[in-house]
Amino acid sequence: MDDDFLKSMGFPASWEETYDLLDDDKLKSLARNERFDHLLVYADPSGASVCMFETSEGFSTETFTVSGHERVPAEVWQVWPGTAEVNVLDEQGELITRVLAFVDDPHMYPWYPLKDVGEPARFDGYRMGAIAVDVAVFDTVDAWRESQTPIITAGAPVHDPVAGLPDEMFLGPTFVTSPWLFALYSGDETADNGSPISIFRAVCERVETVTNALTGQQWCRIDADCGFPVTVALPLGITPTPREGSVIDGKAFLTGTTGFWTDLA
């Protein structure tokens, strides 16, 4: 699969082509305020969204999200407008993982410099998504496992070794991490360069074909488990065809949304 991630949601591969389809009557907007000169969103009924905004400081960009049935508790704040750090929580409020994600509702979260982080926004029913960039699909967990090579631990320098640590280890089929998050906190990258691209593995739980109303193109919307519930966007035609129990493995943009635009009357 190529890296035309917009096709994963049924949009044209080119952003310019997608933009040309976004007539004013298809867009929802936020009134100009002290944080944003403009904020426009196209929320497709299929679950894909495009957000375009310009901050009062003159920074402008576009972000993309995907959402479906799944909800998680989360604490969210922006490292840069449109790119958020999401602390995904379990039902008891304990941290599951921390990731970077595109958001389509940047007005819903505070924005803090990395060296002066304040209180995040808290949501009980947050919607995490993943837009496939470069992934493979395996028909079953067993098929995925057969393709894996182990992480060699024997002979590696280990601080505070755990008794009984095996010489070889495998990461499981439910896993997600945001490499750019480590780069931001180490100081190797600045917040304006942060990307929500992730290393992503998930087991499919519900697979459905939906239609992008803007283009008429179909795509796969998948409820999956990557260590937490997530909605995944895959292009139609990827092989093998994903089904319940399939494994998605590769790179994906993580996304998050409160559902602000789709919940509007």
Side-chain angles (χ1 to χ4, degrees):
M1 167 181 169
D2 59 26
D3 60 358
D4 296 325
F5 73 96
L6 286 172
K7 293 195 295 187
S8 294
M9 301 175 287
F11 291 116
S14 161
W15 163 240
E16 289 75 15
E17 290 181 56
T18 300
Y19 179 80
D20 288 343
L21 297 174
L22 298 174
D23 297 333
D24 289 346
D25 60 352
K26 297 183 176 71
L27 300 174
K28 299 177 181 180
S29 63
L30 190 71
R32 183 174 180 174
N33 56 55
E34 62 181 14
R35 294 179 61 191
F36 296 95
D37 280 351
H38 71 258
L39 200 164
L40 302 170
V41 168
Y42 171 70
D44 193 82
S46 66
S49 291
V50 179
C51 176
M52 300 164 288
F53 65 86
E54 182 174 357
T55 68
S56 55
E57 291 82 13
F59 172 73
S60 61
T61 193
E62 56 280 336
T63 60
F64 311 89
T65 65
V66 60
S67 63
H69 308 92
E70 299 299 328
R71 306 286 186 271
V72 296
E75 294 178 338
V76 190
W77 61 278
Q78 291 174 105
V79 301
W80 194 254
T83 302
E85 177 179 307
V86 182
N87 297 325
V88 182
L89 311 175
D90 64 18
E91 294 300 328
Q92 289 71 48
E94 298 297 321
L95 180 68
I96 295 175
T97 192
R98 180 174 290 126
V99 295
L100 287 179
F102 279 140
V103 295
D104 66 357
D105 46 7
H107 60 292
M108 297 293 289
Y109 323 98
W111 170 27
Y112 299 121
L114 287 172
K115 295 182 179 180
D116 189 24
V117 177
E119 289 295 318
R122 169 66 191 255
F123 306 97
D124 292 328
Y126 201 64
R127 306 153 196 223
M128 292 299 298
I131 305 170
V133 175
D134 185 9
V135 303
V137 173
F138 297 85
D139 201 43
T140 64
V141 171
D142 286 342
W144 170 85
R145 189 172 286 116
E146 289 173 1
S147 74
Q148 300 303 295
T149 55
I151 300 170
I152 306 300
T153 59
V158 179
H159 299 288
D160 299 323
V162 177
L165 186 70
D167 292 340
E168 298 181 347
M169 296 179 64
F170 288 87
L171 292 175
T174 58
F175 175 79
V176 64
T177 189
S178 294
W180 282 85
L181 194 60
F182 297 101
L184 294 182
Y185 279 104
S186 69
D188 291 339
E189 288 292 347
T190 55
D192 57 323
N193 284 329
S195 169
I197 195 73
S198 72
I199 298 169
F200 182 81
R201 293 173 179 170
V203 177
C204 301
E205 297 181 339
R206 174 177 174 176
V207 180
E208 57 186 333
T209 299
V210 295
T211 302
N212 186 311
L214 189 68
T215 64
Q217 295 297 311
Q218 294 183 318
W219 56 281
C220 289
R221 185 174 68 188
I222 301 170
D223 293 339
D225 175 12
C226 67
F228 56 85
V230 64
T231 300
V232 186
L234 283 181
L236 203 66
I238 192 169
T239 56
T241 302
R243 61 184 180 86
E244 182 180 346
S246 295
V247 176
I248 302 166
D249 188 340
K251 298 177 183 178
F253 285 122
L254 293 183
T255 76
T257 180
T258 61
F260 176 87
W261 303 102
T262 54
D263 289 349
L264 288 176

